[in-house]
Amino acid sequence: MFTQTFTRTIAKRVLSSDLVDLLTGPHGVDRYTELVTPTWTSGQARAKVTDVRRTTPRSVTLTLAPNPAFTERYSAKAGQFVNVTVEIDGRMHSRCYSPANVEGSTEIELTIGVHDGGLVSSYLYERARPGMVVGLDGVGGDFVLPDELPRRILLISGGSGITPVMAMLRTLLARGHDGEIAFVHYARSPEEACYRQELAAMRGVRVLHGFTRSGSGDLNGRFGAEHLTAAMPEPDAVFVCGPDALVAAVQGLCENVFTESFVPPVFEPPADPTGGRVSFADSKVDVTDDGRSLLEQAESAGLKPQNGCRMGICHTCTRRKTSGTVRNLVTGAVSTAPDEDVQICVTVPVGDVDIAL
């Protein structure tokens, strides 16, 4: 074990040295090492798909083995998300997915729900295979377990929102949490309920399912007071992830609610856009502001900026605003400062703007 660690340390120092960088320029050492093994890179975080399971008609579960470039820089807490990048028809596409594995695992488990019009989710459901390599870029999100765990914990999820909540449940059990735990999951039908068999076999956890398009299930209809009473009256803390309607219903009935929503907010463009000049300077492309986000206007102009969540949480689309005024669609904050990093998916111009893109 010591010999392997020592060898990896020496190899890392050699590959990251200035001499190797000079000899492999202009592309860098990663361009050559990836020809031998795609995940053997010194600077780019990647992962190999080691297992693929399609256990429901609308989801695929992937097990990923990240390379050291990821594991040495990042450590995801239960409930957080990772940015996953795949190449589709020669273009790189990034999306945020929440791992479902126990916190601290050496592997990453992603259960990805297929959504209508979901380019990346559909591609992975149809094409993912063992040996496939995907890109990884960072860890984020504030939807995590507190350091001091409450005694009575209610976990609620809807659809593909089960993954961060499942990570929390598995982590609680792995830590030997001796308090009460209840888990409520909503799916369209029993066939589409992810992790149903695993949940049914868990001891010490009260598990209830609600199937919104089926007459079966432990709970009828959508979340309400009766469902709360059946699962856990007066919980100390509630962790919920799912559609906005589910999150709002839980917040209306419970206190001490920790939330995450996987549905991007819908931003209506203003009726009277400024009509200013938006310059994507690096690409030498200028457009007239039509009120939409900088990301949408860039894509309409034929540019292909990297992006992920499209809701302002993953920071994949961050670009430098060199001059001009912009407004954040999430916070409403207006900024006039030059040389400022902005998230172009949730930022709109206010007059003339120059973006390094």
Side-chain angles (χ1 to χ4, degrees):
M1 183 66 179
F2 173 78
T3 302
Q4 292 177 345
T5 303
F6 179 75
T7 302
R8 285 197 300 267
T9 301
I10 295 299
K12 182 179 178 181
R13 289 179 179 176
V14 171
L15 292 176
S16 60
S17 68
D18 293 339
L19 176 59
V20 170
D21 186 60
L22 176 63
L23 294 175
T24 56
H27 302 298
V29 65
D30 285 349
R31 180 68 65 86
Y32 298 94
T33 58
E34 68 183 2
L35 297 176
V36 181
T37 303
T39 55
W40 188 26
T41 58
S42 64
Q44 297 183 10
R46 297 177 182 174
K48 178 184 290 186
V49 177
T50 59
D51 185 57
V52 178
R53 290 174 287 141
R54 295 175 177 87
T55 56
T56 80
R58 293 175 61 84
S59 70
V60 58
T61 298
L62 310 178
T63 302
L64 308 180
N67 67 357
F70 180 84
T71 58
E72 292 176 3
R73 281 186 286 175
Y74 304 108
S75 178
K77 295 182 179 180
Q80 290 188 305
F81 60 81
V82 296
N83 296 321
V84 178
T85 301
V86 296
E87 182 178 347
I88 303 176
D89 297 331
R91 292 182 58 183
M92 307 305 290
H93 298 268
S94 298
R95 297 293 185 270
C96 297
Y97 296 114
S98 298
N101 49 270
V102 174
E103 184 176 312
S105 173
T106 57
E107 295 183 318
I108 297 174
E109 180 180 305
L110 303 177
T111 293
I112 300 167
V114 179
H115 301 284
D116 295 337
L119 176 65
V120 175
S121 62
S122 297
Y123 178 84
L124 291 173
Y125 179 80
E126 296 169 2
R127 305 285 293 276
R129 66 193 185 283
M132 179 180 183
V133 174
V134 299
L136 297 176
D137 181 21
V139 171
D142 300 321
F143 185 58
V144 296
L145 293 167
D147 293 334
E148 185 173 345
L149 295 174
R151 288 286 302 166
R152 290 164 47 82
I153 297 176
L154 175 58
L155 306 170
I156 303 175
S157 60
S160 57
I162 192 173
T163 52
V165 184
M166 194 70 189
M168 291 179 173
L169 176 59
R170 287 171 164 174
T171 300
L172 287 169
L173 296 179
R175 292 178 180 178
H177 179 62
D178 58 359
E180 295 181 55
I181 305 174
F183 192 106
V184 176
H185 179 61
Y186 295 91
R188 300 200 298 187
S189 67
E191 294 74 25
E192 294 186 19
C194 301
Y195 300 107
R196 189 157 60 101
Q197 293 182 347
E198 179 180 346
L199 288 167
M202 285 185 176
R203 295 186 177 182
V205 180
R206 181 168 179 75
V207 177
L208 299 173
H209 279 92
F211 303 121
T212 57
R213 299 188 183 182
S214 170
S216 60
D218 307 299
L219 304 169
N220 293 320
R222 302 181 185 276
F223 182 83
E226 293 182 359
H227 294 194
L228 177 61
T229 300
M232 179 182 286
E234 300 182 358
D236 295 331
V238 182
F239 299 84
V240 55
C241 180
D244 290 340
L246 173 61
V247 172
V250 173
Q251 290 176 321
L253 288 173
C254 303
E255 297 180 355
N256 202 20
V257 177
F258 300 82
T259 70
E260 180 84 303
S261 176
F262 58 80
V263 178
V266 177
F267 301 115
E268 293 292 337
D272 52 346
T274 66
R277 175 188 55 81
V278 180
S279 175
F280 301 108
D282 294 352
S283 305
K284 295 181 173 60
V285 172
D286 289 358
V287 300
T288 300
D289 175 34
D290 61 12
R292 294 180 298 163
S293 71
L294 288 166
L295 172 60
E296 292 174 293
Q297 296 194 55
E299 290 176 332
S300 294
L303 304 181
K304 302 174 182 178
Q306 187 176 5
N307 64 90
C309 67
R310 304 181 80 94
M311 56 192 296
I313 60 176
C314 75
H315 298 272
T316 303
C317 69
T318 299
R319 294 294 184 273
R320 177 59 59 92
K321 172 177 69 73
T322 55
S323 66
T325 302
V326 296
R327 178 169 59 87
N328 187 295
L329 290 168
V330 176
T331 65
V334 175
S335 171
T336 60
D339 296 321
E340 176 186 44
D341 289 336
V342 298
Q343 296 167 266
I344 62 174
C345 72
V346 293
T347 300
V348 294
V350 182
D352 295 344
V353 174
D354 291 329
I355 301 292
L357 172 62

